Amino acid sequence: MAANWRVATAALRRHLRSPPPTIRESTGALSAANQRRSYTTAFADDDDDPRGKWLTLPPFSPTIDAAAVGKELSFGDGDSIVKGSTDGSTTALRWILRCRPDLPRNLVQKLFRLRQVRRQVVVPMSCELQRSQLKRVAAKESLNVGDRIYLPLSVGNDAPRPAKKERFRCSEEERKFVCSLVLYKDPAIIVLNKPHGMAVQGGTGVKTSIDELAATCLTFDKSESPRLVHRLDRDCSGLLVLGRTQTAATLLHSIFREKTSGASAYGVKKNIKSLKRKYLALVIGCPRRQRGQISAPLRKVVVDDGKSDRITVNDNGELVSTQHAITEYRVVESSPHGYTWLELRPLTGRKHQLRVHCAEVLGTPILGDYKYGWQAHKTREPFVSSENTPTKPSPSPFGLDMEGGDVSSKQPHLHLHSKQIDLPNICQLLEKLEVSPDSDISDLDGLKFDAPLPTHMQLSFNLLKSRVESSDNC
């Protein structure tokens, strides 16, 4: 015992005589508190001394588990406390990837295979002396609060430098147009009124998307680019919600996801209480009933020799590749000219759900939907009115067709609009969780958004003399 004490005392003396540690921090210099603690920590041997040899990551600390918060918020049992709101444990692999997203996953996994990753373990020897050791750590090994991970200094040279992605360049006029789409903004979310014809995400044949425009024009005071949390069809207009931080985006994505999974698993009675959506559509024809609920599973089929695909109602009883889909509808007003305004409330969020349910279940395809209502459009005659006043089209940003497309056009635009969304106040919720992991949300505010109709639907509204907004405000 005395021999061990002499060895530890000698190690401490050598450590105190040496210059201050110069451990390279991945995200900045060590704090003053950590520097002071370094003088009271003795390393077991020279191989454990990380000075000049290792790149150290920030100590592990619990973070907000946004996915768990979203699920608890969606299916809480009436309790006003959000439980399990922090992620109190993680693995060494996940912590490295979280702290250093620039490192490829395969490179980090290689470091673990070569046993080049270390974890600092502090062993108390007495009330005044601690012995610190660097031990090899496995990729799936759990970390405790305060644990530090050390990587070889060479990892900075081995990691490929990320290619600089050129941001979409906008003119001043285009930038103003994108900013004019913003209906609401707080530190956590941005809500847009997406125009008809603009894709939400890039892909084949897509020149401009909301995703890249948000990164260019809508960062505002944030270093992060806004993130998509749900989708709208390219030709669908209306409310689109984006998360301004990774945590807010994960929380919102969880809420939208649980909306679908909750309705599919438990039915309407236990459906999510923190998210409500309403769409407005102008359809060809009139449903037999004034209101109802559509519960028809959907599946994807490949057509044109594999060149394209479409969604259809699965009526053959097969469960393979089937997605449960539920939509509530209500007739707002019928026109004697053969058109009907419908209010649609999706309880699930499947691809093309509203368009397929209207066309195949109700037998009333949405005006301008040539994919699922092409037969109805073949026999359709453009609506003729004395109020039709042809106007000369004016140039629109990003080549969008902002003129015409109403019920009097030979080829009308899709008349489907995301009109209303009710959400919990995400910014307020995150502020509460920062103060306390188990927060009382009984006084959490709700946010309600309403998007005005696009030009082509407003023109159709005027031509058909509808009173959709005055009758129910949607």
Side-chain angles (χ1 to χ4, degrees), residues 119-413:
R119 169 184 181 178
Q120 182 177 345
V121 180
V122 178
V123 181
M125 298 180 62
S126 69
C127 58
E128 298 180 353
L129 184 64
Q130 294 177 329
R131 182 167 61 91
S132 181
Q133 292 180 334
L134 294 187
K135 291 188 176 181
R136 294 185 179 92
V137 61
K140 296 183 179 181
E141 190 171 331
S142 298
L143 299 183
N144 299 318
V145 176
D147 282 356
R148 285 183 178 270
I149 295 294
Y150 293 86
L151 304 175
L153 282 179
S154 59
V155 76
N157 301 325
D158 295 338
R161 294 183 179 180
K164 288 186 177 180
K165 184 179 179 181
E166 268 190 57
R167 289 194 169 185
F168 187 85
R169 295 185 179 181
C170 295
S171 66
E172 188 59 30
E173 180 185 357
E174 290 172 334
R175 184 180 294 273
K176 288 181 179 179
F177 173 77
V178 175
C179 290
S180 71
L181 303 178
V182 177
L183 297 179
Y184 175 83
K185 173 173 68 73
D186 66 21
I189 69 171
I190 292 177
V191 180
L192 305 179
N193 185 10
K194 186 187 89 68
H196 157 86
M198 180 172 283
V200 170
Q201 201 166 28
T204 305
V206 176
K207 294 182 179 179
T208 309
S209 68
I210 293 290
D211 195 20
E212 60 183 359
L213 289 176
T216 303
C217 308
L218 301 179
T219 54
F220 298 109
D221 56 336
K222 297 284 186 182
S223 59
E224 303 177 66
S225 299
R227 295 170 170 84
L228 298 172
V229 297
H230 68 114
R231 304 286 190 270
L232 287 180
D233 291 344
R234 181 174 184 164
D235 292 328
C236 179
S237 59
L239 294 169
L240 183 71
V241 183
L242 295 88
R244 300 192 67 191
T245 65
Q246 178 64 60
T247 303
T250 302
L251 176 55
L252 283 165
H253 186 264
S254 176
I255 290 175
F256 277 88
R257 182 180 64 248
E258 296 300 335
K259 170 79 173 180
T260 294
S261 62
S264 300
Y266 304 110
V268 181
K269 292 183 179 180
K270 282 195 174 182
N271 192 228
I272 186 170
K273 58 186 178 183
S274 58
L275 173 65
K276 295 179 181 178
R277 290 176 290 175
K278 291 183 183 180
Y279 286 72
L280 187 65
L282 181 63
V283 300
I284 302 174
C286 182
R288 294 180 180 179
R289 298 181 179 179
Q290 290 296 301
R291 63 173 64 236
Q293 182 185 108
I294 303 169
S295 180
L298 305 177
R299 64 186 179 94
K300 183 169 70 174
V301 294
V302 179
V303 295
D304 297 333
D305 296 326
K307 295 180 182 178
S308 61
D309 59 68
R310 57 180 286 142
I311 308 299
T312 185
V313 172
N314 182 35
D315 52 5
N316 56 13
E318 295 181 5
L319 297 179
V320 180
S321 303
T322 296
Q323 292 183 319
H324 196 55
I326 304 175
T327 303
E328 292 181 344
Y329 74 92
R330 179 177 69 87
V331 172
V332 178
E333 186 172 348
S334 296
S335 165
H337 306 287
Y339 299 97
T340 303
W341 289 103
L342 290 184
E343 178 187 272
L344 303 171
R345 301 186 184 190
L347 302 186
T348 54
R350 307 302 186 187
K351 179 180 179 180
H352 296 175
Q353 172 180 323
L354 300 181
R355 295 165 62 183
V356 176
H357 277 178
C358 285
E360 297 191 12
V361 179
L362 296 181
T364 56
I366 299 174
L367 182 65
D369 188 356
Y370 305 101
K371 188 179 185 75
Y372 300 105
W374 63 274
Q375 288 183 332
H377 284 81
K378 281 175 62 177
T379 58
R380 169 190 169 270
E381 292 292 336
F383 178 78
V384 180
S385 172
S386 58
E387 297 183 16
N388 288 9
T389 54
T391 57
K392 184 178 180 180
S394 57
S396 301
F398 309 109
L400 296 174
D401 186 2
M402 307 290 286
E403 304 290 339
D406 58 87
V407 70
S408 66
S409 303
K410 291 184 178 180
Q411 291 187 326
H413 298 330

Side-chain angles (χ1 to χ4, degrees), residues 47-61:
D47 191 46
D48 286 329
D49 192 343
R51 290 173 292 176
K53 293 182 179 181
W54 301 94
L55 181 69
T56 181
L57 302 183
F60 168 66
S61 58

